Amino acid sequence: MAAAPDPARIEAVRRFNRFYTRRIGVLDDGLLDSPFSLAEARLLWELAHADARLTASRLARELDLDPGYLSRLLRRLKDQGLVRTSRSKEDARVLWLSLSPAGQRAFAPLDARSREQVGTLLGTLDEPRQQALLDAMTLIEDALSDTPRPPAPIALRALQPGDLGWVIGRHGALYAQEYGWSEAFEALVARIAADFVDRFDPAHEAAWIAERDGRRLGCVFLVQARDEARQQVIPAAAQLRMLLVEPAARGQGLGRRLVDECERFARAQRYRRILLWTNRNLDAARAIYEKAGYRLIASEPHHSFGHDLVGETWEKLLA
């Protein structure tokens, strides 16, 4: 049920609108140092990204513009040779809109400057503040949209610069929040990450970051298994390490998907088995491993990260 707006909230929204329009230069004579107004630039963007069957009436509906105002905007762009029309072969009353070659040339630098402006804006923020900004913008978009967009699919990608810092930091933060583990665990993850970089063999090792809309949601690493005492490679054995799924992405099968990706890679590299080490109190992770066909082969009590724990070694045979 809609709530009656509080006057202070109304003013807060208006204040934000004034701030943001000033921040991105909407009030300037020409948007992004171009000869185009904001409305004209938006039309150029829509025409550059539209399919071949865009009409003025459809454009007016999608942008919620008065048809008369839209007609005047289009006329100005057509007079400059930037927009062209073609008559439908099926219905002579219908005119399709598109950018002319001159319009495409005019739009390209405008689009590039827009990307540069946003990149500069984001570049003033550190990673957590960038993500907070994106989350807030998504929240505003969903709250004010008549038809909230469905969530984008989660993609798995290779490591990029900055990812390892995120992996280390999120392991430390989440395990402290959820299990009360000390900073010693974060230090352990940092050592594992450093070893991954120092020893990385792309023919036998890989890592994946799960990402949606630029937000990291999980990770997993697959490395050559090593003897803990001598640090020698165990022949034909891989080790799954640093599996993590953000709370916001849990319950969607992402953990199993990351584990399955490790198995796919291990099989392709002709490993005969995959090993992993976990702790008995990590119920969600253990459930993923068990469902994926891993079996518990050893356990040992230990005191680590400020707690008495039981470490477990799990194995999946691939041959």
Side-chain angles (χ1 to χ4, degrees):
M1 181 178 178
D6 182 277
R9 293 180 177 178
I10 292 173
E11 289 308 311
V13 172
R14 296 179 66 196
R15 182 173 62 251
F16 172 80
N17 288 342
R18 291 193 298 271
F19 162 78
Y20 192 64
T21 52
R22 183 176 67 252
R23 188 70 175 80
I24 63 174
V26 171
L27 302 179
D28 297 342
D29 289 338
L31 185 69
L32 297 169
D33 297 321
S34 77
F36 305 110
S37 67
L38 174 62
E40 290 168 336
R42 178 60 187 273
L43 287 183
L44 291 176
W45 191 95
E46 293 291 342
L47 290 165
H49 294 83
D51 56 39
R53 302 176 71 83
L54 180 66
T55 64
S57 58
R58 174 183 154 193
L59 194 54
R61 287 194 306 271
E62 292 182 353
L63 297 181
D64 196 21
L65 287 177
D66 174 76
Y69 175 56
L70 175 61
S71 179
R72 292 190 294 274
L73 290 173
L74 289 172
R75 188 179 305 116
R76 287 203 294 269
L77 295 176
K78 283 191 281 188
D79 290 344
Q80 298 174 61
L82 305 178
V83 174
R84 62 186 178 186
T85 58
S86 58
R87 199 167 296 279
S88 169
K89 295 179 180 180
E90 292 83 15
D91 187 343
R93 297 169 299 177
V94 176
L95 292 176
W96 306 125
L97 298 172
S98 63
L99 285 184
S100 67
Q104 294 170 357
R105 290 193 296 272
F107 173 73
L110 187 65
D111 190 46
R113 284 196 291 271
S114 177
R115 290 179 180 274
E116 182 180 357
Q117 181 197 51
V118 175
T120 300
L121 185 150
L122 290 174
T124 64
L125 308 175
D126 59 19
E127 172 62 26
R129 293 179 70 196
Q130 283 191 27
Q131 192 56 62
L133 176 64
L134 294 175
D135 290 345
M137 294 173 73
T138 299
L139 180 62
I140 292 172
E141 183 179 353
D142 288 345
L144 298 181
S145 176
D146 293 331
T147 55
R149 61 176 181 170
I154 297 175
L156 301 188
R157 61 165 176 80
L159 286 180
Q160 296 176 358
D163 284 337
L164 285 177
W166 175 85
V167 169
I168 296 166
R170 291 309 292 158
H171 270 83
L174 284 177
Y175 279 78
Q177 293 167 10
E178 297 178 357
Y179 301 102
W181 288 8
S182 70
E183 64 275 8
F185 177 67
E186 188 171 355
L188 172 64
V189 176
R191 286 193 292 271
I192 294 171
D195 287 342
F196 177 80
V197 174
D198 292 342
R199 300 169 172 172
F200 182 56
D201 179 355
H204 299 95
E205 300 175 322
W208 296 267
I209 297 292
E211 185 178 77
R212 177 164 57 201
D213 288 337
R215 181 178 185 181
R216 301 180 185 98
L217 295 174
C219 63
V220 74
F221 290 65
L222 190 80
V223 301
Q224 297 180 88
R226 292 175 180 269
D227 176 87
E228 287 294 330
R230 295 176 295 174
Q231 288 299 300
Q232 293 182 347
V233 171
I234 300 174
Q239 183 169 1
L240 187 154
R241 310 208 75 167
M242 296 192 291
L243 173 67
L244 179 135
V245 177
E246 286 281 359
R250 293 173 186 171
Q252 303 175 42
L254 179 57
R256 176 63 187 270
R257 184 178 167 192
L258 288 165
V259 169
D260 287 349
E261 191 68 15
C262 287
E263 180 179 338
R264 181 200 61 76
F265 180 87
R267 289 185 181 279
Q269 306 312 314
R270 300 187 181 279
Y271 282 110
R272 294 182 180 178
R273 58 179 177 147
I274 304 175
L275 300 169
L276 65 87
W277 184 83
T278 188
N279 281 280
R280 184 169 295 173
N281 63 320
L282 305 183
D283 295 332
R286 294 173 80 255
I288 292 172
Y289 302 141
E290 190 169 13
K291 289 179 181 178
Y294 287 78
R295 63 186 184 90
L296 178 64
I297 60 172
S299 63
E300 183 179 7
H302 64 103
H303 184 85
S304 303
F305 325 129
H307 295 270
D308 291 324
L309 302 168
V310 178
E312 297 181 340
T313 301
W314 292 62
E315 177 189 60
K316 179 165 186 177
L317 300 178
L318 303 179

